[in-house]
Amino acid sequence: MDSVEYEYRTGIGTDIHQLIADKPLMLGGVEVPFECGLLAHSDGDVVLHAVIDAILGAAGLGDIGTLFPDTDPEWKDADSRDLVLLVRERVKKDRWEIVNLDVIVHAQRPKLGPYKGQIKRAVAGLLDTDFSNVNIKAKTNEGLDAVGEGKAIASTAMVLLRRRVKRRL
Ligand code: MG
């Protein structure tokens, strides 16, 4: 007789990019209206990069830099949404599913309150998980450090994955 149980793994990811003028600001796959965007080899979407690292960490698959090296021209100007889809398929191969994902966006400006719902929908859609499994929080850094001075935006993500394990009784 078999009984189904789950194996659980947590993962954490962080990212930070510098704000520069005249680039679209992509956060969680959503273009947020602002006069600056994030300097990076890719679109600089710190939210999706933190989410990718959290998922790869939980699945024991290294980090974003290993899968998508910034020295590889293939990932130059990459749309981070495409990277999330690749990671999603990779972890699905190992039968992992998302239990929940909690994300913090650290930004002094712009105010992200009005966009949190949209980012949550976009991230849940990219990960093919229920809307209720994703939580997005936005915080300023109280005027302190590069984020607080409005020079950068950072993100922290934590995820819980699970997969079925068959145990023979
Ligand atoms: Mg990054």
Side-chain angles (χ1 to χ4, degrees):
M1 198 174 132
D2 290 333
S3 85
V4 174
E5 290 181 17
Y6 287 98
E7 170 186 10
Y8 291 86
R9 295 275 186 88
T10 62
I12 189 166
T14 69
D15 197 24
I16 183 167
H17 284 279
Q18 187 186 333
L19 281 161
I20 53 161
D22 302 323
K23 191 178 175 187
L25 176 60
M26 296 302 296
L27 293 174
V30 171
E31 185 174 340
V32 175
F34 194 46
E35 68 262 25
C36 298
L38 294 165
L39 177 65
H41 193 66
S42 66
D43 59 12
D45 192 324
V46 286
V47 172
L48 294 186
H49 296 178
V51 166
I52 286 172
D53 260 357
I55 293 172
L56 291 176
L61 292 170
D63 62 32
I64 190 170
T66 314
L67 261 68
F68 313 111
D70 62 9
T71 48
D72 185 339
E74 185 172 357
W75 310 119
K76 183 159 169 42
D77 302 322
D79 183 328
S80 298
R81 290 172 289 197
D82 293 334
L83 307 187
V84 172
L85 296 179
L86 290 169
V87 167
R88 180 180 97 185
E89 291 317 303
R90 177 63 190 86
V91 298
K92 258 190 193 163
K93 241 192 237 174
D94 290 345
R95 299 177 293 106
W96 291 111
E97 59 178 300
I98 289 172
V99 178
N100 77 302
L101 170 71
D102 193 16
V103 179
I104 307 170
V105 191
H106 311 269
Q108 198 67 28
R109 287 176 62 236
K111 288 283 169 224
L112 295 174
Y115 302 100
K116 283 193 289 187
Q118 209 181 326
I119 293 172
K120 175 171 155 142
R121 265 192 303 280
V123 172
L126 286 168
L127 293 173
D128 192 23
T129 190
D130 196 87
F131 179 72
S132 64
N133 295 338
V134 177
N135 188 70
I136 305 289
K137 306 193 285 269
K139 297 177 73 71
T140 70
N141 268 20
E142 300 287 340
L144 300 166
D145 73 26
V147 169
E149 288 168 7
K151 294 177 184 163
I153 292 180
S155 182
T156 307
M158 189 160 183
V159 74
L160 181 64
L161 302 182
R162 73 173 183 181
R163 67 179 170 189
R164 283 171 161 228
V165 190
K166 266 193 184 173
R167 290 195 203 285
R168 188 141 288 195
L169 297 179

